[in-house]
Amino acid sequence: MPAMDPGTLLDKLESGDQELVQKALAEYNQENSQCFFFNAEQREERKRQELEEFKKKKFRDWVPKSDSDYDSDNSEDPDVKQRQKLGELVIKFLNRDLQPSCQMACLETIRILSRDKHALSPFTGRSAIQTLAQYAGLDYSEEMEMPSIPDGESAVEALKGLCNIIYNSVEAQEVAKELRLVCGLARRLKLYNETRSSHESKFFDLRLLFLLTALSVDMRKQLAQELRGVSLLTDALESTLALKWSDIYEVVTDRLAPPLGKEETERVMEILKTLFNITFDISRREVDEEDAALYRHLAAILRHCLLRQCDGEDRTEEFHGHTVNLLVNLPLMCLDVLLTPKVEQGSVEYMGMNMDTVEVLIQFLDRRLDRGHKLRETLTPVLNLLTESSRVHRETRKFLRAKVLPPLRDVKNRPEVGNTLRNKLVRLMTHVDTDVKHCAAEFLFVLCKENVSRFVKYTGYGNAAGLLAARGLLAGGRGEGRYSEDEDTDTEEYREAKPNINPVTGRVEEKQPNPMDGMTEEQKEYEAMKLVNMFDKLSRYPVEQIIQPMGVTSDGRLEPLDEAAQKMLQRQESSDLESDSD
């Protein structure tokens, strides 16, 4: 059946006949139900035409424009204008007293049209957003004692349309703030347990709340502070997971329970994402006793989330990823609840503590390391969480050290060679992404109790130099962290090989022949001066330096060689003067 002519469709809408409009829109919706990028075909056609033009003109090289170049100016596109006109008629039609089937058809059309950011103008004004909010049951006023309950499928369609519009339009985000849509959603969230709303209705409530808090700083603050969003969403999380408590901060967790259902998983992940939005700055603030209790309660729920499985490995990985991201935001003082549950049969025990959560986190880290995809987004949160937990919880640090940096036996291979956790993390210490390499180095440094000699022992000086230079520890010593006294963990294999280990590479190297063997003193001096001249030439040519010779100052930091030498000389002179005065 041929697609309906756009002009015919517009004529039918302008007729105002409900039955005619409902049938026309139903046909349009069916034709475009899977259309997510309205301009894709137009882009491809324009690319094809340009390529043909280049071929005709016999240009050798043709570089196609990006999709954004083709999309940048669509204001005069007749198809876009028709979609905008269609949007105007549909949103106007929704303000009439309509039959449910006609309402549904109009809302479906808005959902489809709102996927196209170039045809959004009919939906981004205050009147249009207010109309959709009313259909979604989100119209808010201070006088309302009870939030309106959405009316089935129509409300879900309105919520879907609002999600698309808010996501694609800054203007719509401002209107949503003025209409206080966050307040309407928060009121409805309070009745999460008492209403019999469908999964879709609850899910798109949560999805819209996530988008509003992700895209607007003001609405994020409003939910977090004015509406007590952390408490509200924590209650919703607890309700969705149907939790039972064995103690004040201990959830009953059956590791053999069936995987979390698909619908529950979807809702929980939206809650976790929204909680992340409104807690991102908590760790930088002082928290009072009441807030600390709330965050401990939340941390106990997140512990349960880490120990639960979803339907499929990828889904579980995503679920655990959102959980880890949120845990990173919580105050460190509140993460002690991750270790407090009683040790039971099947638990991972270390020093009398329940290490189930830490074991899950280290396995999660290992899987992320193996995937090697988008390391900054996927790896740095869990590395930061493990690093900071190791700083404040001695048992966590010792358990992780036993897993990541066991007593050293392999001294023949470089620290970055191999498939152990240590090898994988040391490889990241020279990663091109600064955040990734810093997080990996910091984690290993903390596991070494910020002891430079131990850090170099496990990573090699070459890999460790970046962090040591940043910390001013190139001359040795230890960081500022406070840890218990060092214990001797050197293996017999390491003690025997230690004199022959190259500290730069971190392994036993085969002895290389001395290139100066057989040279006279004059020849050695000539080669030495030749090398000095080469360095000097590189550091001066032509105006900007290719290399800059550096030296280590007495405080363990790198400075240009001339300045470092001058400071050392000044200190030496000061020391000599003090000796003379004595």
Side-chain angles (χ1 to χ4, degrees):
M1 188 170 117
M4 181 183 293
D5 175 69
T8 304
L9 176 62
L10 294 175
D11 289 341
K12 290 183 177 180
L13 259 75
E14 287 176 333
S15 73
D17 185 292
Q18 273 201 55
E19 187 175 348
L20 201 62
V21 168
Q22 190 267 324
K23 287 181 179 178
L25 290 180
E27 185 179 335
Y28 176 85
N29 296 341
Q30 188 174 359
E31 288 171 2
N32 294 281
S33 62
Q34 298 304 311
C35 184
F36 290 90
F37 301 97
F38 282 96
N39 297 307
E41 292 181 7
Q42 297 166 359
R43 283 199 301 261
E44 293 307 313
E45 178 61 22
R46 288 169 67 182
K47 287 181 185 178
R48 189 189 63 76
Q49 289 173 358
E50 285 189 10
L51 179 57
E52 290 299 321
E53 286 296 316
F54 271 79
K55 285 179 179 177
K56 287 176 185 176
K57 294 176 182 178
K58 297 185 178 179
F59 287 125
R60 291 185 178 180
D61 299 315
W62 176 71
V63 179
K65 300 175 185 176
S66 67
D67 289 348
S68 58
D69 291 329
Y70 290 105
D71 282 345
S72 59
D73 184 16
N74 282 277
S75 58
E76 299 303 318
D77 189 314
D79 290 326
V80 171
K81 283 190 168 184
Q82 284 180 337
R83 287 197 289 275
Q84 288 175 339
K85 180 64 175 175
L86 175 59
E88 289 169 6
L89 292 172
V90 170
I91 200 73
K92 185 178 178 182
F93 209 71
L94 269 178
N95 288 313
R96 294 174 50 178
D97 185 17
L98 302 177
Q99 293 295 320
S101 60
C102 194
Q103 286 179 4
M104 191 67 180
C106 290
L107 291 166
E108 284 180 357
T109 302
I110 291 173
R111 169 172 57 83
I112 292 168
L113 291 174
S114 61
R115 297 168 182 166
D116 181 6
K117 61 184 178 182
H118 300 292
L120 275 180
S121 56
F123 310 127
T124 57
R126 184 183 181 92
S127 175
I129 298 289
Q130 196 159 27
T131 297
L132 290 171
Q134 287 169 353
Y135 274 97
L138 294 178
D139 44 329
Y140 173 82
S141 67
E142 296 288 349
E143 293 76 25
M144 288 175 61
E145 293 184 7
M146 291 286 289
S148 52
I149 304 303
D151 182 20
E153 293 182 351
S154 293
V156 172
E157 281 300 321
L159 285 167
K160 289 177 181 178
L162 282 169
C163 286
N164 288 344
I165 295 163
I166 297 296
Y167 177 73
N168 284 315
S169 169
V170 175
E171 182 185 348
Q173 292 160 24
E174 286 300 311
V175 172
K177 183 175 72 174
E178 293 170 12
L179 294 175
R180 297 174 66 83
L181 291 193
V182 166
C183 295
L185 287 164
R187 278 192 172 182
R188 202 145 78 197
L189 205 56
K190 289 178 182 177
L191 302 178
Y192 209 67
N193 288 331
E194 300 171 26
T195 59
R196 294 186 177 180
S197 302
S198 66
H199 159 68
E200 275 204 318
S201 177
K202 290 180 177 179
F203 173 79
F204 283 104
D205 272 356
L206 294 167
R207 170 60 60 85
L208 182 57
L209 192 59
F210 162 69
L211 289 172
L212 292 172
T213 54
L215 297 169
S216 169
V217 174
D218 291 337
M219 285 188 276
R220 193 183 308 152
K221 288 180 179 176
Q222 184 181 25
L223 180 60
Q225 298 169 15
E226 177 187 333
L227 302 170
R228 297 191 58 80
V230 175
S231 177
L232 195 63
L233 287 161
T234 300
D235 289 345
L237 186 62
E238 186 174 347
S239 168
T240 307
L241 291 166
L243 299 183
K244 295 179 181 178
W245 297 80
S246 61
D247 206 339
I248 184 171
Y249 295 128
E250 186 173 348
V251 178
V252 176
T253 304
D254 182 1
R255 300 289 293 272
L256 300 177
L260 196 61
K262 180 184 175 184
E263 293 182 351
E264 288 78 7
T265 302
E266 289 177 346
R267 296 204 301 273
V268 166
M269 289 200 290
E270 294 302 314
I271 295 171
L272 294 176
K273 285 154 54 179
T274 307
L275 277 167
F276 175 84
N277 289 344
I278 64 174
T279 59
F280 78 99
D281 63 341
I282 281 176
S283 58
R284 297 192 290 272
R285 298 200 315 255
E286 289 290 329
V287 295
D288 58 27
E289 193 173 325
E290 182 183 351
D291 284 339
L294 172 60
Y295 298 136
R296 279 197 169 90
H297 184 76
L298 177 55
I301 298 175
L302 296 180
R303 178 185 186 275
H304 173 81
C305 290
L306 283 176
L307 299 179
R308 287 298 305 268
Q309 299 292 308
C310 301
D311 190 11
E313 289 184 12
D314 289 343
R315 203 64 166 163
T316 300
E317 190 79 7
E318 184 183 2
F319 177 47
H320 287 173
H322 291 308
T323 305
V324 169
N325 291 344
L326 180 51
L327 276 169
V328 173
N329 284 357
L330 299 188
L332 282 171
M333 59 179 283
C334 301
L335 298 186
D336 54 353
V337 300
L338 299 180
L339 306 179
T340 52
K342 296 181 288 293
V343 177
E344 298 175 347
Q345 188 174 2
S347 297
V348 178
E349 180 184 358
Y350 187 82
M351 297 178 67
M353 306 292 286
N354 186 321
M355 290 290 168
D356 286 346
T357 311
V358 185
E359 177 72 16
V360 170
L361 288 171
I362 203 71
Q363 291 172 0
F364 178 82
L365 170 65
D366 201 11
R367 288 193 300 274
R368 290 277 166 110
L369 285 167
D370 288 341
R371 289 189 177 191
H373 179 61
K374 293 184 178 179
L375 290 179
R376 178 187 288 188
E377 293 85 355
T378 62
L379 201 60
T380 54
V382 66
L383 278 174
N384 283 330
L385 177 60
L386 291 173
T387 300
E388 297 308 318
S389 297
S390 297
R391 284 190 205 278
V392 297
H393 298 129
R394 175 171 173 264
E395 295 83 2
T396 299
R397 177 180 55 75
K398 291 176 77 69
F399 178 76
L400 287 171
R401 185 181 167 198
K403 292 281 185 179
V404 180
L405 300 177
L408 196 57
R409 300 182 187 279
D410 180 8
V411 291
K412 294 181 180 179
N413 294 308
R414 288 174 179 264
E416 65 268 25
V417 175
N419 293 312
T420 67
L421 266 172
R422 174 176 78 107
N423 303 143
K424 296 171 187 177
L425 289 165
V426 171
R427 283 199 288 274
L428 290 183
M429 291 171 67
T430 52
H431 195 273
V432 293
D433 188 298
T434 306
D435 287 343
V436 171
K437 72 178 181 181
H438 171 76
C439 286
E442 189 75 14
F443 177 49
L444 293 175
F445 192 49
V446 169
L447 293 189
C448 293
K449 297 202 280 194
E450 301 188 29
N451 181 300
V452 172
S453 60
R454 178 176 293 170
F455 185 50
V456 170
K457 165 185 164 182
Y458 281 102
T459 66
Y461 192 82
N463 294 313
L467 179 136
L468 299 180
R471 292 288 199 91
L473 293 170
L474 284 169
R478 66 187 311 155
E480 298 175 354
R482 296 183 178 181
Y483 303 94
S484 58
E485 290 298 315
D486 291 340
E487 62 273 14
D488 184 12
T489 59
D490 289 347
T491 62
E492 193 63 36
E493 295 93 329
Y494 179 78
R495 287 198 193 94
E496 290 177 2
K498 188 175 181 179
N500 301 315
I501 293 176
N502 182 333
V504 175
T505 61
R507 69 167 182 178
V508 174
E509 303 276 2
E510 292 184 10
K511 289 189 177 181
Q512 301 293 325
N514 188 339
M516 290 192 172
D517 282 349
M519 288 186 182
T520 64
E521 290 302 314
E522 289 79 6
Q523 288 173 321
K524 291 178 183 179
E525 186 175 344
Y526 171 78
E527 292 296 333
M529 289 307 300
K530 185 178 175 182
L531 184 62
V532 169
N533 289 331
M534 289 169 67
F535 274 113
D536 185 59
K537 187 176 180 181
L538 285 171
S539 65
R540 296 177 187 275
Y541 176 82
V543 177
E544 54 188 7
Q545 299 166 328
I546 294 176
I547 64 168
Q548 183 175 27
M550 305 290 284
V552 180
T553 62
S554 59
D555 59 359
R557 298 189 180 278
L558 281 175
E559 287 193 9
L561 190 58
D562 292 344
E563 296 177 21
Q566 188 175 357
K567 286 184 178 180
M568 292 289 284
L569 184 61
Q570 289 173 347
R571 285 195 179 89
Q572 184 62 46
E573 289 174 351
S574 299
S575 178
D576 291 344
L577 287 172
E578 288 175 6
S579 298
D580 291 343
S581 63
D582 291 343

